[in-house]
Amino acid sequence: MRQTWRWFGPNDTVSISEMLQARVEDVVSALHHVPTGEIWTTTEINKRQAAIAADSSGLTWLVVESLPVSEDIKRRSGNFQQHIENYKISLTNLAEAGIEVVCYNFMPVLDWTRTELRRRMPHGGTAMAFDLVDFAAFDLFVLERDEAHADFDQSLIADAQERFAQMSEPGKAALLDNLLKGLPGATESWNLADIRAHLAAYEGIDAEGLYENLIAFLREVVPHAEALGLRLCCHPDDPPFPLLGLPRVMSTFGDYARLVADLDSPANGITFCTGSLGVLPDFDPVRFIEKLGSKIHFVHLRNTARDSAERSGRSSFHEAAHLEGDTDMAATVRALMAEQVRRRAAGRADWQLPMRPDHGQDLLSDLEVQGMPGYPLIGRMRGLAELRGLMAAFAH
């Protein structure tokens, strides 16, 4: 697999030169400073490519993560049609710059959701975590969402009420801040009123309605992407269960099987993220790859460990080291390498899968840097080294 690394641009606490020392082969990046719904211009794309090339001895911008889909598009309201046209222009500009893989997601309102960004681990480092009781306390007693009581069972509500009673005011503020960090690199800053307004905008849109909006969006952009030689790949919901009363449509094997069947195109594919999908107890990465591997265009290898049994259809979890969580990473890597062999035998030009070691625990000097949550230097370098070892062993 092609070993890539996510880079948030010139303000990232990890530099291109450090990525080179980690022996990263290519870069995954995005133009986070461009407002969602606006066009990624050739000028801005070239500027990012130049920033990567200036100090990289050959690294290239291989994968876009992400070209964001606006809330208007997800709801098919407001300026959604103009945003779709802008999306297509951005795809054209990316293709002209030589980029072929574009990752996106279709999660309403928030991207990844965590209640803790730096939970102290037994080894002394820190990891991101999602605590279901903390989240329920936020939903019920901080956000005070009207329908929240219907989303949790009585036992969980009682635990959340007790947890909330123990929270200090700074603790409540920190919880809100952590939950709003779900768009890494973004410039948006929301408060409780903003969240309530965004949630209200989704009233009347259930999971089936959101899925229909996704397919309607893809029917407009996928033919354009296919003509350009681009491969679009949808990232799974993170975590893969409903939050704040919002629908989720990309959480399971079944969701992806439906997506690629409903719109069969080489430009309509999957971002295979073992960390997001792996939060569900029934996730089988090998089966996923064997059944849907031909549609995987981009791979996120990370691991999560469930901290509790399912409650109200959800569970607590934390970001584990890459070889230590609930997902069998060795079996996953072996299956992905077998998929590459199949692709190469079939003569596919895209036989080599771009992979990145997604997320990582803060270790050693990461603890002093306090960089982008989930994207430390040492923690990700450890993960990449472990994954590289698996790939070398299976190749041998």
mmCIF file of all heavy atoms in Angstrom, residues 2-8 12 14-29 45-63 97-99 355 377 380 384 388:
data_model
loop_
_atom_site.group_PDB
_atom_site.id
_atom_site.type_symbol
_atom_site.label_atom_id
_atom_site.label_comp_id
_atom_site.label_asym_id
_atom_site.label_seq_id
_atom_site.Cartn_x
_atom_site.Cartn_y
_atom_site.Cartn_z
ATOM 1 N N ARG A 2 0.352 2.306 -0.576
ATOM 2 C CA ARG A 2 1.085 3.562 -0.616
ATOM 3 C C ARG A 2 0.948 4.249 0.729
ATOM 4 O O ARG A 2 -0.159 4.523 1.192
ATOM 5 C CB ARG A 2 0.526 4.455 -1.728
ATOM 6 C CG ARG A 2 1.384 5.681 -2.050
ATOM 7 C CD ARG A 2 2.657 5.293 -2.741
ATOM 8 N NE ARG A 2 3.469 6.474 -3.060
ATOM 9 C CZ ARG A 2 4.712 6.405 -3.508
ATOM 10 N NH1 ARG A 2 5.295 5.228 -3.695
ATOM 11 N NH2 ARG A 2 5.396 7.503 -3.788
ATOM 12 N N GLN A 3 2.065 4.537 1.390
ATOM 13 C CA GLN A 3 2.062 5.036 2.763
ATOM 14 C C GLN A 3 1.973 6.564 2.775
ATOM 15 O O GLN A 3 2.919 7.259 2.422
ATOM 16 C CB GLN A 3 3.330 4.561 3.479
ATOM 17 C CG GLN A 3 3.446 3.045 3.536
ATOM 18 C CD GLN A 3 4.823 2.568 3.901
ATOM 19 O OE1 GLN A 3 5.522 3.206 4.693
ATOM 20 N NE2 GLN A 3 5.247 1.433 3.341
ATOM 21 N N THR A 4 0.803 7.064 3.168
ATOM 22 C CA THR A 4 0.561 8.505 3.149
ATOM 23 C C THR A 4 0.373 9.039 4.564
ATOM 24 O O THR A 4 0.266 8.283 5.528
ATOM 25 C CB THR A 4 -0.685 8.836 2.303
ATOM 26 O OG1 THR A 4 -1.858 8.364 2.979
ATOM 27 C CG2 THR A 4 -0.602 8.201 0.927
ATOM 28 N N TRP A 5 0.294 10.353 4.659
ATOM 29 C CA TRP A 5 0.176 11.024 5.951
ATOM 30 C C TRP A 5 -0.691 12.261 5.758
ATOM 31 O O TRP A 5 -0.525 12.997 4.784
ATOM 32 C CB TRP A 5 1.567 11.443 6.417
ATOM 33 C CG TRP A 5 1.708 11.801 7.862
ATOM 34 C CD1 TRP A 5 1.144 12.848 8.498
ATOM 35 C CD2 TRP A 5 2.508 11.120 8.833
ATOM 36 N NE1 TRP A 5 1.533 12.866 9.814
ATOM 37 C CE2 TRP A 5 2.371 11.815 10.056
ATOM 38 C CE3 TRP A 5 3.338 10.004 8.802
ATOM 39 C CZ2 TRP A 5 3.020 11.435 11.221
ATOM 40 C CZ3 TRP A 5 3.976 9.623 9.955
ATOM 41 C CH2 TRP A 5 3.823 10.325 11.151
ATOM 42 N N ARG A 6 -1.590 12.480 6.687
ATOM 43 C CA ARG A 6 -2.436 13.671 6.583
ATOM 44 C C ARG A 6 -1.670 14.903 7.057
ATOM 45 O O ARG A 6 -1.042 14.894 8.119
ATOM 46 C CB ARG A 6 -3.703 13.495 7.424
ATOM 47 C CG ARG A 6 -4.748 14.565 7.142
ATOM 48 C CD ARG A 6 -6.058 14.252 7.838
ATOM 49 N NE ARG A 6 -7.122 15.130 7.374
ATOM 50 C CZ ARG A 6 -8.372 15.073 7.801
ATOM 51 N NH1 ARG A 6 -8.726 14.179 8.711
ATOM 52 N NH2 ARG A 6 -9.283 15.896 7.331
ATOM 53 N N TRP A 7 -1.772 15.972 6.256
ATOM 54 C CA TRP A 7 -1.103 17.231 6.585
ATOM 55 C C TRP A 7 -2.118 18.354 6.455
ATOM 56 O O TRP A 7 -2.789 18.492 5.423
ATOM 57 C CB TRP A 7 0.073 17.468 5.631
ATOM 58 C CG TRP A 7 0.943 18.621 6.011
ATOM 59 C CD1 TRP A 7 1.587 18.824 7.195
ATOM 60 C CD2 TRP A 7 1.302 19.740 5.181
ATOM 61 N NE1 TRP A 7 2.315 19.995 7.167
ATOM 62 C CE2 TRP A 7 2.150 20.572 5.946
ATOM 63 C CE3 TRP A 7 0.972 20.118 3.879
ATOM 64 C CZ2 TRP A 7 2.682 21.757 5.444
ATOM 65 C CZ3 TRP A 7 1.507 21.296 3.374
ATOM 66 C CH2 TRP A 7 2.351 22.107 4.147
ATOM 67 N N PHE A 8 -2.240 19.163 7.504
ATOM 68 C CA PHE A 8 -3.257 20.206 7.537
ATOM 69 C C PHE A 8 -2.778 21.531 6.951
ATOM 70 O O PHE A 8 -3.473 22.541 7.048
ATOM 71 C CB PHE A 8 -3.745 20.407 8.970
ATOM 72 C CG PHE A 8 -4.534 19.232 9.485
ATOM 73 C CD1 PHE A 8 -3.948 18.308 10.334
ATOM 74 C CD2 PHE A 8 -5.846 19.033 9.097
ATOM 75 C CE1 PHE A 8 -4.661 17.216 10.795
ATOM 76 C CE2 PHE A 8 -6.567 17.941 9.552
ATOM 77 C CZ PHE A 8 -5.968 17.027 10.404
ATOM 78 N N ASP A 12 0.170 23.287 10.351
ATOM 79 C CA ASP A 12 0.232 21.989 11.021
ATOM 80 C C ASP A 12 1.466 21.955 11.933
ATOM 81 O O ASP A 12 2.536 22.455 11.565
ATOM 82 C CB ASP A 12 0.317 20.877 9.974
ATOM 83 C CG ASP A 12 -0.066 19.504 10.522
ATOM 84 O OD1 ASP A 12 0.287 19.205 11.678
ATOM 85 O OD2 ASP A 12 -0.708 18.735 9.789
ATOM 86 N N VAL A 14 3.097 19.396 12.603
ATOM 87 C CA VAL A 14 4.027 18.443 11.989
ATOM 88 C C VAL A 14 4.465 18.997 10.639
ATOM 89 O O VAL A 14 3.628 19.388 9.817
ATOM 90 C CB VAL A 14 3.375 17.060 11.802
ATOM 91 C CG1 VAL A 14 4.336 16.112 11.091
ATOM 92 C CG2 VAL A 14 2.955 16.483 13.151
ATOM 93 N N SER A 15 5.748 19.044 10.406
ATOM 94 C CA SER A 15 6.276 19.633 9.175
ATOM 95 C C SER A 15 6.481 18.571 8.101
ATOM 96 O O SER A 15 6.540 17.370 8.378
ATOM 97 C CB SER A 15 7.612 20.328 9.456
ATOM 98 O OG SER A 15 8.616 19.358 9.775
ATOM 99 N N ILE A 16 6.628 19.048 6.874
ATOM 100 C CA ILE A 16 6.921 18.146 5.767
ATOM 101 C C ILE A 16 8.255 17.451 5.994
ATOM 102 O O ILE A 16 8.397 16.247 5.715
ATOM 103 C CB ILE A 16 6.935 18.916 4.435
ATOM 104 C CG1 ILE A 16 5.521 19.417 4.076
ATOM 105 C CG2 ILE A 16 7.479 18.049 3.312
ATOM 106 C CD1 ILE A 16 4.540 18.335 3.726
ATOM 107 N N SER A 17 9.237 18.151 6.513
ATOM 108 C CA SER A 17 10.543 17.528 6.743
ATOM 109 C C SER A 17 10.450 16.411 7.775
ATOM 110 O O SER A 17 11.133 15.387 7.656
ATOM 111 C CB SER A 17 11.566 18.584 7.181
ATOM 112 O OG SER A 17 11.190 19.172 8.415
ATOM 113 N N GLU A 18 9.588 16.573 8.782
ATOM 114 C CA GLU A 18 9.397 15.496 9.764
ATOM 115 C C GLU A 18 8.693 14.304 9.136
ATOM 116 O O GLU A 18 8.991 13.146 9.452
ATOM 117 C CB GLU A 18 8.606 16.027 10.959
ATOM 118 C CG GLU A 18 9.419 16.966 11.844
ATOM 119 C CD GLU A 18 8.580 17.666 12.894
ATOM 120 O OE1 GLU A 18 7.419 18.032 12.588
ATOM 121 O OE2 GLU A 18 9.077 17.848 14.025
ATOM 122 N N MET A 19 7.789 14.569 8.221
ATOM 123 C CA MET A 19 7.126 13.480 7.511
ATOM 124 C C MET A 19 8.136 12.701 6.679
ATOM 125 O O MET A 19 8.074 11.470 6.599
ATOM 126 C CB MET A 19 6.006 14.039 6.639
ATOM 127 C CG MET A 19 4.834 14.588 7.431
ATOM 128 S SD MET A 19 3.742 15.655 6.462
ATOM 129 C CE MET A 19 3.205 14.532 5.188
ATOM 130 N N LEU A 20 9.078 13.404 6.080
ATOM 131 C CA LEU A 20 10.109 12.732 5.308
ATOM 132 C C LEU A 20 10.954 11.818 6.194
ATOM 133 O O LEU A 20 11.302 10.699 5.810
ATOM 134 C CB LEU A 20 11.014 13.765 4.624
ATOM 135 C CG LEU A 20 10.473 14.421 3.351
ATOM 136 C CD1 LEU A 20 11.356 15.585 2.948
ATOM 137 C CD2 LEU A 20 10.408 13.395 2.222
ATOM 138 N N GLN A 21 11.268 12.296 7.400
ATOM 139 C CA GLN A 21 12.052 11.474 8.312
ATOM 140 C C GLN A 21 11.289 10.231 8.759
ATOM 141 O O GLN A 21 11.883 9.190 9.050
ATOM 142 C CB GLN A 21 12.466 12.299 9.530
ATOM 143 C CG GLN A 21 13.464 13.398 9.214
ATOM 144 C CD GLN A 21 13.786 14.249 10.426
ATOM 145 O OE1 GLN A 21 14.237 13.726 11.440
ATOM 146 N NE2 GLN A 21 13.547 15.538 10.314
ATOM 147 N N ALA A 22 9.949 10.341 8.788
ATOM 148 C CA ALA A 22 9.116 9.184 9.125
ATOM 149 C C ALA A 22 8.958 8.252 7.929
ATOM 150 O O ALA A 22 8.320 7.211 8.043
ATOM 151 C CB ALA A 22 7.739 9.649 9.603
ATOM 152 N N ARG A 23 9.553 8.630 6.793
ATOM 153 C CA ARG A 23 9.535 7.858 5.551
ATOM 154 C C ARG A 23 8.136 7.741 4.959
ATOM 155 O O ARG A 23 7.769 6.738 4.355
ATOM 156 C CB ARG A 23 10.161 6.479 5.749
ATOM 157 C CG ARG A 23 11.600 6.505 6.237
ATOM 158 C CD ARG A 23 12.530 7.288 5.321
ATOM 159 N NE ARG A 23 12.604 6.702 4.001
ATOM 160 C CZ ARG A 23 13.446 5.715 3.666
ATOM 161 N NH1 ARG A 23 14.280 5.218 4.566
ATOM 162 N NH2 ARG A 23 13.467 5.245 2.439
ATOM 163 N N VAL A 24 7.344 8.825 5.143
ATOM 164 C CA VAL A 24 6.058 8.919 4.463
ATOM 165 C C VAL A 24 6.315 9.024 2.962
ATOM 166 O O VAL A 24 7.266 9.669 2.522
ATOM 167 C CB VAL A 24 5.276 10.147 4.976
ATOM 168 C CG1 VAL A 24 4.027 10.381 4.159
ATOM 169 C CG2 VAL A 24 4.937 9.968 6.450
ATOM 170 N N GLU A 25 5.442 8.408 2.159
ATOM 171 C CA GLU A 25 5.660 8.390 0.714
ATOM 172 C C GLU A 25 4.872 9.469 -0.026
ATOM 173 O O GLU A 25 5.308 9.939 -1.082
ATOM 174 C CB GLU A 25 5.279 7.018 0.161
ATOM 175 C CG GLU A 25 6.189 5.909 0.670
ATOM 176 C CD GLU A 25 5.743 4.528 0.243
ATOM 177 O OE1 GLU A 25 4.519 4.306 0.073
ATOM 178 O OE2 GLU A 25 6.629 3.658 0.078
ATOM 179 N N ASP A 26 3.717 9.859 0.502
ATOM 180 C CA ASP A 26 2.919 10.897 -0.137
ATOM 181 C C ASP A 26 2.010 11.563 0.884
ATOM 182 O O ASP A 26 1.898 11.096 2.026
ATOM 183 C CB ASP A 26 2.094 10.337 -1.305
ATOM 184 C CG ASP A 26 2.912 10.242 -2.588
ATOM 185 O OD1 ASP A 26 3.450 11.285 -3.028
ATOM 186 O OD2 ASP A 26 3.054 9.135 -3.122
ATOM 187 N N VAL A 27 1.333 12.625 0.466
ATOM 188 C CA VAL A 27 0.605 13.488 1.388
ATOM 189 C C VAL A 27 -0.895 13.453 1.111
ATOM 190 O O VAL A 27 -1.338 13.409 -0.039
ATOM 191 C CB VAL A 27 1.125 14.943 1.274
ATOM 192 C CG1 VAL A 27 0.342 15.886 2.186
ATOM 193 C CG2 VAL A 27 2.615 14.991 1.606
ATOM 194 N N VAL A 28 -1.666 13.479 2.194
ATOM 195 C CA VAL A 28 -3.119 13.657 2.153
ATOM 196 C C VAL A 28 -3.409 15.034 2.741
ATOM 197 O O VAL A 28 -2.960 15.340 3.850
ATOM 198 C CB VAL A 28 -3.833 12.572 2.982
ATOM 199 C CG1 VAL A 28 -5.334 12.833 3.040
ATOM 200 C CG2 VAL A 28 -3.536 11.191 2.423
ATOM 201 N N SER A 29 -4.130 15.868 2.020
ATOM 202 C CA SER A 29 -4.348 17.225 2.515
ATOM 203 C C SER A 29 -5.666 17.779 1.976
ATOM 204 O O SER A 29 -6.357 17.144 1.178
ATOM 205 C CB SER A 29 -3.181 18.145 2.113
ATOM 206 O OG SER A 29 -3.211 19.354 2.844
ATOM 207 N N ILE A 45 -5.103 25.408 -5.079
ATOM 208 C CA ILE A 45 -4.630 24.027 -5.205
ATOM 209 C C ILE A 45 -3.138 24.006 -5.516
ATOM 210 O O ILE A 45 -2.365 23.267 -4.895
ATOM 211 C CB ILE A 45 -5.426 23.286 -6.296
ATOM 212 C CG1 ILE A 45 -6.881 23.109 -5.855
ATOM 213 C CG2 ILE A 45 -4.791 21.929 -6.611
ATOM 214 C CD1 ILE A 45 -7.805 22.636 -6.959
ATOM 215 N N ASN A 46 -2.727 24.833 -6.464
ATOM 216 C CA ASN A 46 -1.311 24.889 -6.829
ATOM 217 C C ASN A 46 -0.452 25.384 -5.673
ATOM 218 O O ASN A 46 0.692 24.937 -5.495
ATOM 219 C CB ASN A 46 -1.116 25.791 -8.050
ATOM 220 C CG ASN A 46 -1.708 25.195 -9.312
ATOM 221 O OD1 ASN A 46 -2.014 24.009 -9.368
ATOM 222 N ND2 ASN A 46 -1.876 26.011 -10.333
ATOM 223 N N LYS A 47 -1.009 26.296 -4.885
ATOM 224 C CA LYS A 47 -0.264 26.819 -3.744
ATOM 225 C C LYS A 47 0.014 25.698 -2.727
ATOM 226 O O LYS A 47 1.112 25.607 -2.185
ATOM 227 C CB LYS A 47 -1.058 27.957 -3.091
ATOM 228 C CG LYS A 47 -0.285 28.707 -2.007
ATOM 229 C CD LYS A 47 -1.154 29.756 -1.337
ATOM 230 C CE LYS A 47 -1.656 30.807 -2.317
ATOM 231 N NZ LYS A 47 -2.452 31.864 -1.643
ATOM 232 N N ARG A 48 -1.012 24.850 -2.485
ATOM 233 C CA ARG A 48 -0.809 23.745 -1.557
ATOM 234 C C ARG A 48 0.188 22.733 -2.117
ATOM 235 O O ARG A 48 1.048 22.219 -1.396
ATOM 236 C CB ARG A 48 -2.144 23.078 -1.233
ATOM 237 C CG ARG A 48 -2.077 21.853 -0.306
ATOM 238 C CD ARG A 48 -1.399 22.146 1.058
ATOM 239 N NE ARG A 48 -1.967 23.284 1.731
ATOM 240 C CZ ARG A 48 -3.048 23.243 2.522
ATOM 241 N NH1 ARG A 48 -3.652 22.093 2.748
ATOM 242 N NH2 ARG A 48 -3.484 24.343 3.107
ATOM 243 N N GLN A 49 0.092 22.450 -3.403
ATOM 244 C CA GLN A 49 1.052 21.539 -4.023
ATOM 245 C C GLN A 49 2.475 22.086 -3.931
ATOM 246 O O GLN A 49 3.418 21.334 -3.647
ATOM 247 C CB GLN A 49 0.681 21.295 -5.489
ATOM 248 C CG GLN A 49 -0.526 20.406 -5.680
ATOM 249 C CD GLN A 49 -0.832 20.143 -7.140
ATOM 250 O OE1 GLN A 49 -0.867 21.086 -7.951
ATOM 251 N NE2 GLN A 49 -1.065 18.887 -7.493
ATOM 252 N N ALA A 50 2.616 23.376 -4.119
ATOM 253 C CA ALA A 50 3.939 23.990 -4.045
ATOM 254 C C ALA A 50 4.495 23.929 -2.633
ATOM 255 O O ALA A 50 5.699 23.705 -2.421
ATOM 256 C CB ALA A 50 3.866 25.435 -4.526
ATOM 257 N N ALA A 51 3.633 24.121 -1.628
ATOM 258 C CA ALA A 51 4.077 24.055 -0.232
ATOM 259 C C ALA A 51 4.578 22.658 0.114
ATOM 260 O O ALA A 51 5.534 22.500 0.872
ATOM 261 C CB ALA A 51 2.931 24.451 0.702
ATOM 262 N N ILE A 52 3.932 21.638 -0.438
ATOM 263 C CA ILE A 52 4.362 20.263 -0.203
ATOM 264 C C ILE A 52 5.661 19.972 -0.933
ATOM 265 O O ILE A 52 6.589 19.372 -0.383
ATOM 266 C CB ILE A 52 3.261 19.280 -0.644
ATOM 267 C CG1 ILE A 52 2.034 19.420 0.265
ATOM 268 C CG2 ILE A 52 3.766 17.842 -0.651
ATOM 269 C CD1 ILE A 52 0.797 18.707 -0.244
ATOM 270 N N ALA A 53 5.756 20.423 -2.172
ATOM 271 C CA ALA A 53 6.930 20.115 -2.997
ATOM 272 C C ALA A 53 8.170 20.883 -2.583
ATOM 273 O O ALA A 53 9.294 20.403 -2.757
ATOM 274 C CB ALA A 53 6.611 20.401 -4.459
ATOM 275 N N ALA A 54 7.987 22.081 -1.998
ATOM 276 C CA ALA A 54 9.125 22.959 -1.712
ATOM 277 C C ALA A 54 10.135 22.326 -0.765
ATOM 278 O O ALA A 54 11.329 22.594 -0.846
ATOM 279 C CB ALA A 54 8.628 24.280 -1.129
ATOM 280 N N ASP A 55 9.652 21.469 0.135
ATOM 281 C CA ASP A 55 10.539 20.957 1.178
ATOM 282 C C ASP A 55 10.472 19.439 1.282
ATOM 283 O O ASP A 55 10.748 18.862 2.327
ATOM 284 C CB ASP A 55 10.118 21.585 2.521
ATOM 285 C CG ASP A 55 11.130 21.355 3.626
ATOM 286 O OD1 ASP A 55 12.320 21.199 3.295
ATOM 287 O OD2 ASP A 55 10.731 21.320 4.802
ATOM 288 N N SER A 56 10.099 18.789 0.166
ATOM 289 C CA SER A 56 9.720 17.392 0.333
ATOM 290 C C SER A 56 10.537 16.368 -0.441
ATOM 291 O O SER A 56 10.314 15.172 -0.272
ATOM 292 C CB SER A 56 8.255 17.217 -0.087
ATOM 293 O OG SER A 56 8.133 17.360 -1.489
ATOM 294 N N SER A 57 11.435 16.784 -1.288
ATOM 295 C CA SER A 57 12.235 15.816 -2.045
ATOM 296 C C SER A 57 11.361 14.784 -2.754
ATOM 297 O O SER A 57 11.643 13.582 -2.719
ATOM 298 C CB SER A 57 13.230 15.107 -1.113
ATOM 299 O OG SER A 57 14.090 16.021 -0.485
ATOM 300 N N GLY A 58 10.273 15.236 -3.354
ATOM 301 C CA GLY A 58 9.487 14.331 -4.185
ATOM 302 C C GLY A 58 8.127 13.947 -3.664
ATOM 303 O O GLY A 58 7.382 13.261 -4.367
ATOM 304 N N LEU A 59 7.750 14.330 -2.446
ATOM 305 C CA LEU A 59 6.402 14.028 -1.970
ATOM 306 C C LEU A 59 5.382 14.775 -2.827
ATOM 307 O O LEU A 59 5.609 15.907 -3.242
ATOM 308 C CB LEU A 59 6.221 14.447 -0.511
ATOM 309 C CG LEU A 59 6.947 13.640 0.569
ATOM 310 C CD1 LEU A 59 6.519 14.128 1.945
ATOM 311 C CD2 LEU A 59 6.667 12.161 0.437
ATOM 312 N N THR A 60 4.247 14.130 -3.059
ATOM 313 C CA THR A 60 3.179 14.772 -3.822
ATOM 314 C C THR A 60 1.887 14.738 -3.016
ATOM 315 O O THR A 60 1.714 13.922 -2.105
ATOM 316 C CB THR A 60 2.944 14.074 -5.170
ATOM 317 O OG1 THR A 60 2.540 12.714 -4.937
ATOM 318 C CG2 THR A 60 4.199 14.093 -6.015
ATOM 319 N N TRP A 61 0.968 15.610 -3.375
ATOM 320 C CA TRP A 61 -0.367 15.617 -2.784
ATOM 321 C C TRP A 61 -1.161 14.544 -3.507
ATOM 322 O O TRP A 61 -1.658 14.733 -4.610
ATOM 323 C CB TRP A 61 -0.982 17.000 -2.975
ATOM 324 C CG TRP A 61 -2.317 17.183 -2.319
ATOM 325 C CD1 TRP A 61 -2.994 16.295 -1.533
ATOM 326 C CD2 TRP A 61 -3.147 18.349 -2.412
ATOM 327 N NE1 TRP A 61 -4.200 16.826 -1.121
ATOM 328 C CE2 TRP A 61 -4.317 18.090 -1.653
ATOM 329 C CE3 TRP A 61 -3.020 19.577 -3.048
ATOM 330 C CZ2 TRP A 61 -5.347 19.027 -1.531
ATOM 331 C CZ3 TRP A 61 -4.047 20.502 -2.930
ATOM 332 C CH2 TRP A 61 -5.191 20.229 -2.163
ATOM 333 N N LEU A 62 -1.300 13.378 -2.883
ATOM 334 C CA LEU A 62 -1.873 12.214 -3.547
ATOM 335 C C LEU A 62 -3.384 12.119 -3.386
ATOM 336 O O LEU A 62 -4.095 11.737 -4.319
ATOM 337 C CB LEU A 62 -1.225 10.937 -2.994
ATOM 338 C CG LEU A 62 -1.576 9.634 -3.702
ATOM 339 C CD1 LEU A 62 -0.983 9.607 -5.105
ATOM 340 C CD2 LEU A 62 -1.065 8.429 -2.896
ATOM 341 N N VAL A 63 -3.893 12.426 -2.177
ATOM 342 C CA VAL A 63 -5.314 12.255 -1.870
ATOM 343 C C VAL A 63 -5.860 13.530 -1.236
ATOM 344 O O VAL A 63 -5.203 14.121 -0.367
ATOM 345 C CB VAL A 63 -5.547 11.071 -0.905
ATOM 346 C CG1 VAL A 63 -7.026 10.926 -0.563
ATOM 347 C CG2 VAL A 63 -5.002 9.776 -1.492
ATOM 348 N N ALA A 97 -4.859 19.335 -11.724
ATOM 349 C CA ALA A 97 -3.627 19.376 -10.942
ATOM 350 C C ALA A 97 -3.008 17.992 -10.772
ATOM 351 O O ALA A 97 -1.957 17.863 -10.143
ATOM 352 C CB ALA A 97 -3.911 19.984 -9.567
ATOM 353 N N GLY A 98 -3.664 16.962 -11.306
ATOM 354 C CA GLY A 98 -3.106 15.615 -11.269
ATOM 355 C C GLY A 98 -3.541 14.764 -10.094
ATOM 356 O O GLY A 98 -3.047 13.648 -9.923
ATOM 357 N N ILE A 99 -4.454 15.257 -9.270
ATOM 358 C CA ILE A 99 -4.947 14.492 -8.115
ATOM 359 C C ILE A 99 -6.083 13.589 -8.575
ATOM 360 O O ILE A 99 -6.945 13.993 -9.355
ATOM 361 C CB ILE A 99 -5.410 15.452 -6.999
ATOM 362 C CG1 ILE A 99 -4.201 16.240 -6.481
ATOM 363 C CG2 ILE A 99 -6.077 14.692 -5.858
ATOM 364 C CD1 ILE A 99 -4.562 17.376 -5.558
ATOM 365 N N MET A 355 -2.871 4.415 1.662
ATOM 366 C CA MET A 355 -3.192 4.146 3.064
ATOM 367 C C MET A 355 -2.545 5.209 3.943
ATOM 368 O O MET A 355 -1.456 5.681 3.659
ATOM 369 C CB MET A 355 -2.645 2.764 3.446
ATOM 370 C CG MET A 355 -2.730 2.422 4.934
ATOM 371 S SD MET A 355 -1.375 3.091 5.975
ATOM 372 C CE MET A 355 0.015 2.108 5.434
ATOM 373 N N LEU A 377 2.893 13.610 15.954
ATOM 374 C CA LEU A 377 4.041 13.113 15.189
ATOM 375 C C LEU A 377 4.453 11.719 15.650
ATOM 376 O O LEU A 377 4.457 10.764 14.869
ATOM 377 C CB LEU A 377 5.212 14.082 15.325
ATOM 378 C CG LEU A 377 6.547 13.608 14.730
ATOM 379 C CD1 LEU A 377 6.416 13.390 13.231
ATOM 380 C CD2 LEU A 377 7.659 14.610 15.039
ATOM 381 N N ARG A 380 1.670 8.786 15.528
ATOM 382 C CA ARG A 380 1.394 8.297 14.171
ATOM 383 C C ARG A 380 2.607 7.596 13.579
ATOM 384 O O ARG A 380 2.466 6.646 12.805
ATOM 385 C CB ARG A 380 0.955 9.444 13.268
ATOM 386 C CG ARG A 380 -0.513 9.814 13.423
ATOM 387 C CD ARG A 380 -0.933 10.805 12.349
ATOM 388 N NE ARG A 380 -0.249 12.076 12.472
ATOM 389 C CZ ARG A 380 -0.221 13.019 11.530
ATOM 390 N NH1 ARG A 380 -0.837 12.814 10.379
ATOM 391 N NH2 ARG A 380 0.398 14.163 11.728
ATOM 392 N N LEU A 384 2.562 3.983 11.956
ATOM 393 C CA LEU A 384 3.046 3.712 10.611
ATOM 394 C C LEU A 384 4.116 2.629 10.641
ATOM 395 O O LEU A 384 4.132 1.735 9.785
ATOM 396 C CB LEU A 384 3.589 4.988 9.973
ATOM 397 C CG LEU A 384 4.165 4.846 8.553
ATOM 398 C CD1 LEU A 384 3.122 4.282 7.592
ATOM 399 C CD2 LEU A 384 4.692 6.186 8.047
ATOM 400 N N ARG A 388 3.780 -0.788 8.735
ATOM 401 C CA ARG A 388 4.817 -1.076 7.748
ATOM 402 C C ARG A 388 5.425 -2.460 8.017
ATOM 403 O O ARG A 388 5.736 -3.208 7.085
ATOM 404 C CB ARG A 388 5.891 0.019 7.824
ATOM 405 C CG ARG A 388 6.954 -0.067 6.762
ATOM 406 C CD ARG A 388 7.933 1.072 6.953
ATOM 407 N NE ARG A 388 7.383 2.343 6.525
ATOM 408 C CZ ARG A 388 7.591 3.501 7.159
ATOM 409 N NH1 ARG A 388 8.304 3.535 8.276
ATOM 410 N NH2 ARG A 388 7.073 4.614 6.695
#
